[in-house]
Amino acid sequence: MGCDRRPLGERRTLSLGLSVATAGAIASSLASDVWILVLSLFVAGVGCASVMVASGRLVAGWFPPQQRGVAMGIRQSAPPVGIAAAAAVVPNLADSIGIGGALIFAAVALGAALVLAMVVVREPTVLVSDDDSERVRRSPYRDPRHRLLRVHLTAALLIVPQVTIWTFLLVWLVAVHHWSVAAASIAVAAVQLAGAAGRILAGRWSDVRGTRMRPLRLIAFAAAVAMGVLAVSGESPVSIVLIFVASIVVVADNGIAFTAVAELAGPWWSGRAMGAQNTGQNAVGAAVPPVGGALIATGGYSLAFAVAGVIALLAVPLVPTRGEQDPRV
């Protein structure tokens, strides 16, 4: 899915991937065996992977640098909006009609996305630069300053506080603060929508300032501080406000980081670079729930939040701010 010259093109790649994802979701809703369920969900996840790179390349291809940050922020607002919808609907569906009903909802949502991809998406006029020189084709990973690799590492580290909150927020509200499942679901949906707005504003900020790296570094530092303060607050009532604030801060980096990857990689390498970024984030993110659960079992939620804050702090010096060029030039 990460090749820059795809014979299928972005629209067909999206349509094919979403077809696979929809089929996997339908199969999971009908599964009677746990291993069939796992396999079906795996297939659905593989199909969904097409969306991340292909839609990112569409944004990079259609929008000029002075609009690309906010456009990618809007594109990157899709995950929290989707999680908001899932948080509001899935727990209540599972509670009322069972897990199968919740999986059918997912299949319907994927089917709707497939129809939109087939009807609405159009290929950018130019996906690959007309400049076919060796300079343009040269791998951005050979940069002696390792800027692209550093952005990959930054994004991978910053996914930790994000997934920590996404995974445990609903359970934390119910188990620690004794909220009902319905109330907690609504709260999670609300903060996800606020996080989506934060990604758009962060992208606009980077467009206006003509820099991706400085906002990214400030957001990384803010995420570390937010998680640290949340850890110190313990189970006090103020921790509810703090976790909602942290939920918005820790997701604000995604759009800027993805935009920076597309611009640093260039049109010949953007697909591979965005695919590498998502793979790294997904690999790290997959480890967060079991590790976070172990930390919570050992030292409570405060320990898990504190560790996530330290990991976010490690990302701050990695952001390659030195010598950054204005992408609008």
Side-chain angles (χ1 to χ4, degrees):
M1 298 286 181
C3 296
D4 283 288
R5 280 198 179 275
R6 297 188 188 93
L8 292 178
E10 309 305 324
R11 178 175 176 272
R12 291 181 180 178
T13 300
L14 282 171
S15 300
L16 178 61
L18 288 169
S19 296
V20 172
T22 303
I26 293 173
S28 69
S29 69
L30 301 174
S32 57
D33 179 83
V34 65
W35 291 112
I36 296 177
L37 174 63
V38 170
L39 179 61
S40 300
L41 291 175
F42 175 79
V43 170
V46 169
C48 287
S50 68
V51 175
M52 302 305 292
V53 174
S55 62
R57 278 177 54 81
L58 286 171
V59 170
W62 274 117
F63 291 90
Q66 62 268 27
Q67 299 174 356
R68 194 173 291 146
V70 70
M72 195 70 81
I74 293 171
R75 179 261 191 193
Q76 289 293 104
S77 69
V81 169
I83 291 173
V89 175
V90 171
N92 296 298
L93 277 177
D95 190 49
S96 59
I97 62 176
I99 295 176
L103 292 172
I104 290 173
F105 170 76
V108 170
L110 286 167
L114 170 60
V115 172
L116 283 173
M118 296 175 66
V119 174
V120 175
V121 173
R122 294 293 181 268
E123 301 287 346
T125 305
V126 179
L127 277 176
V128 178
S129 173
D130 293 332
D131 185 351
D132 195 23
S133 65
E134 178 64 25
R135 178 186 61 82
V136 172
R137 282 177 170 270
R138 186 169 184 252
S139 170
Y141 294 103
R142 295 168 63 183
D143 175 10
R145 289 180 287 176
H146 306 296
R147 291 172 298 172
L148 190 52
L149 281 173
R150 289 173 66 177
V151 174
H152 288 339
L153 289 172
T154 298
L157 291 173
L158 292 179
I159 202 69
V160 173
Q162 183 180 137
V163 176
T164 298
I165 291 183
W166 280 5
T167 301
F168 298 109
L169 176 56
L170 189 144
V171 178
W172 181 81
L173 289 171
V174 173
V176 174
H177 292 281
H178 311 294
W179 287 30
S180 68
V181 172
S185 299
I186 293 172
V188 171
V191 298
Q192 290 294 338
L193 292 175
R199 289 183 175 185
I200 297 170
L201 291 174
R204 178 59 179 164
W205 176 22
S206 74
D207 284 341
V208 172
R209 291 289 305 277
T211 170
R212 311 296 182 202
M213 301 308 170
R214 289 180 178 84
L216 182 59
R217 173 175 268 185
L218 287 172
I219 290 170
F221 181 73
V225 171
M227 295 303 294
V229 173
L230 176 61
V232 172
S233 69
E235 299 178 3
S236 64
V238 74
S239 65
I240 298 176
V241 176
L242 292 173
I243 203 168
F244 289 162
V245 172
S247 299
I248 298 170
V249 172
V250 299
V251 302
D253 65 281
N254 285 66
I256 296 177
F258 221 63
T259 306
V261 165
E263 292 171 344
L264 287 171
W268 282 100
W269 283 80
S270 61
R272 280 164 282 192
M274 285 188 279
Q277 176 126 323
N278 272 314
T279 299
Q281 286 184 305
N282 290 338
V284 174
V288 171
V291 174
L295 290 172
I296 291 168
T298 301
Y301 285 93
S302 290
L303 177 60
F305 295 152
V307 170
V310 170
I311 291 174
L313 189 61
L314 294 175
V316 175
L318 282 173
V319 181
T321 55
R322 183 175 300 177
E324 180 188 9
Q325 295 182 344
D326 189 332
R328 300 170 297 182
V329 178

